[in-house]
Amino acid sequence: MKLSRAEYKEIVRWTERLRPTRQCMKMLKDRFPDHSQSTLLSIFSLEYQKRTKRTIWRHHAPDVVESYYQRYLSEAKAHPSAPVLLELALEVDLSPALMARVILDRFLQDLEGEMPSKTVLNSMLKEPSLIPDLILAQNIQQCTVNDCCYGPLVDCIKHAVGQEHEVLLCDKLKERNLSFLDETQLRAMGYDKTPDIILEVPVAVEGHIIHWIESKASFGDDHSHRNYLNEQFWSYWNRFGPGLVIYWYGFIGELDCQRDRGILLKDCFPTDIVTLCHASQDELPSQEPK
């Protein structure tokens, strides 16, 4: 779904009052029923991550961490079955999963007498049953399950969704009998930085020649698209020629302004593909920048 910048800004303004919980996502969907849950979640996640980057330093100050920890200990002792940590995170506007990391890190410092290793910390966040404190383990799990922007559960979901859409892209190409190389094949050939798909036979989409396709299981906003252009898309263009980026969850329509320079944006697999002349394996673009 392509959104105008005005539509996008309206959604962003409404997300400013929300916290990163699944209940808040229901509120967002109720407010914007014409937009898909996936698009709204992607927009909210991107905006909340920006908010977090601006404010995270406040939550990591030693005196603030200690105040959070002591408050958790006090309230968990008084109300052992209450979601103390989740409520604290929402009150101070910190991602529940990030609050869980802060408190678990502080707990392990007391337990081990030193800073815990990231390996131990991450393993306990992924599997709270490893935490040698039942009440804390329950609170950590509540934070992880209820967070829709951060944490090991979200990371796992994002990875799976990304792979799902790459498979979907390959299936669509096969349905059209288009010959292509995927990222795994390209890396085996020695390419170190590649798009998801290189077309062995170029195609035309809406009058634009396409040599490669990149799949993004996210919404394309100004910030993320600018970073992708600088870190990925222009590099692909330089090595392989013009290409297509599919933002499966939509993008700001005004960002599709590089077509004449060789970057085409779509929010779905194109239906008007025209196959061009055949190219042999030896005619694949060089691995070196032009």
Side-chain angles (χ1 to χ4, degrees):
M1 174 179 290
K2 287 193 290 186
L3 301 181
S4 68
R5 196 176 301 280
E7 290 175 311
Y8 167 74
K9 287 183 177 180
E10 182 184 0
I11 295 172
V12 169
R13 281 194 297 270
W14 214 80
T15 65
E16 292 173 356
R17 71 190 74 177
L18 300 180
R19 299 292 185 264
T21 65
R22 307 194 183 281
Q23 293 80 6
C24 286
M25 283 310 306
K26 183 180 184 305
M27 295 168 57
L28 191 60
K29 177 62 177 174
D30 290 342
R31 176 64 181 79
F32 299 97
D34 294 335
H35 301 304
S36 74
Q37 180 84 17
S38 298
T39 295
L40 293 172
L41 175 57
S42 185
I43 292 174
F44 175 72
S45 181
L46 290 167
E47 290 303 312
Y48 191 78
Q49 288 169 19
K50 295 174 195 173
R51 190 197 312 178
T52 298
K53 289 178 181 177
R54 293 193 300 266
T55 61
I56 190 64
W57 61 272
R58 302 174 188 169
H59 303 285
H60 282 283
D63 59 328
V64 174
V65 171
E66 191 61 29
S67 70
Y68 289 166
Y69 185 58
Q70 294 303 325
R71 181 172 168 184
Y72 161 74
L73 291 177
S74 175
E75 295 186 11
K77 182 177 181 179
H79 309 283
S81 61
V84 172
L85 210 51
L86 177 60
E87 292 173 354
L88 176 59
L90 300 181
E91 178 185 324
V92 302
D93 193 15
L94 178 62
S95 150
L98 296 183
M99 175 63 82
R101 175 177 285 272
V102 167
I103 297 301
L104 180 58
D105 181 80
R106 179 63 183 81
F107 167 79
L108 292 174
Q109 288 180 42
D110 273 355
L111 188 68
E112 301 177 1
E114 59 183 7
M115 295 293 291
S117 71
K118 287 187 177 180
T119 301
V120 170
L121 187 61
N122 289 334
S123 65
M124 289 186 175
L125 288 169
K126 290 178 181 178
E127 184 47 73
S129 64
L130 298 174
I131 300 171
D133 182 301
L134 180 58
I135 294 177
L136 179 57
Q138 291 172 340
N139 273 270
I140 295 294
Q141 186 172 35
Q142 287 167 343
C143 286
T144 299
V145 169
N146 282 283
D147 198 316
C148 64
C149 292
Y150 287 95
L153 179 59
V154 170
D155 291 342
C156 183
I157 292 172
K158 285 183 177 180
H159 180 71
V161 169
Q163 286 192 319
E164 177 185 358
H165 283 83
E166 289 177 17
V167 171
L168 173 62
L169 174 57
C170 290
D171 288 344
K172 293 288 187 182
L173 292 167
K174 291 173 182 176
E175 288 175 8
R176 297 296 299 267
N177 294 318
L178 296 174
S179 181
F180 65 90
L181 297 171
D182 62 25
E183 190 175 11
T184 301
Q185 292 171 308
L186 289 164
R187 290 192 184 280
M189 293 166 61
Y191 290 89
D192 60 344
K193 193 172 185 180
T194 70
D196 293 314
I197 295 295
I198 293 288
L199 296 167
E200 294 188 284
V201 179
V203 301
V205 176
E206 298 177 9
H208 296 270
I209 296 175
I210 300 300
H211 288 275
W212 54 267
I213 305 176
E214 178 73 4
S215 171
K216 295 296 183 188
S218 62
F219 182 86
D221 68 350
D222 291 282
H223 180 74
S224 60
H225 184 65
R226 182 170 58 250
N227 286 342
Y228 285 140
L229 278 171
N230 293 333
E231 297 172 9
Q232 296 181 356
F233 303 158
W234 289 129
S235 175
Y236 300 159
W237 175 89
N238 194 41
R239 292 185 176 194
F240 307 112
L244 165 67
V245 178
I246 302 178
Y247 282 111
W248 295 100
Y249 297 152
F251 59 90
I252 299 172
E254 288 86 341
L255 295 177
D256 190 16
C257 59
Q258 305 286 356
R259 292 187 169 206
D260 291 341
R261 297 183 62 190
I263 306 291
L264 178 69
L265 304 186
K266 296 284 287 182
D267 60 353
C268 62
F269 187 82
T271 57
D272 59 341
I273 290 179
V274 177
T275 304
L276 303 181
C277 61
H278 288 264
S280 68
Q281 180 73 24
D282 294 336
E283 292 175 315
L284 275 174
S286 169
Q287 298 177 34
E288 298 300 324
K290 298 177 182 177

